[in-house]
Amino acid sequence: MLRPMPDTARLHREAVQFRILLGLTYPLFLAAALVQRLRGPTRPALAPRRTVFGEARAMAAQAVPFAFMG
């Protein structure tokens, strides 16, 4: 059975919630990225390296969508 298309208001609300959660969790992931960076390299030397801020954003963007599953 086909599900009805989600309304734009719900999509907008979820997008706002995603950005809020991303902003709230970013400092936590920034701290984790700093700790990882201080521990030493975990990748091969030939792999391109992101900045600490880019790494934190990537970790947050990977984890936050799990809040919307279910």
Side-chain angles (χ1 to χ4, degrees), residues 3-66:
R3 293 175 51 184
M5 292 294 292
D7 61 330
T8 56
R10 190 180 117 233
L11 290 175
H12 176 71
R13 195 170 46 248
E14 287 179 356
V16 169
Q17 289 174 351
F18 178 82
R19 283 182 287 215
I20 290 170
L21 282 175
L22 193 68
L24 290 173
T25 59
Y26 181 78
L28 174 70
F29 289 111
L30 181 59
L34 285 169
V35 168
Q36 282 182 348
R37 188 64 57 96
L38 291 173
R39 280 188 176 173
T42 57
R43 299 180 204 168
L46 298 176
R49 194 170 194 179
R50 292 186 186 135
T51 65
V52 175
F53 300 105
E55 189 68 30
R57 181 161 176 17
M59 286 191 289
Q62 186 177 10
V64 169
F66 287 104

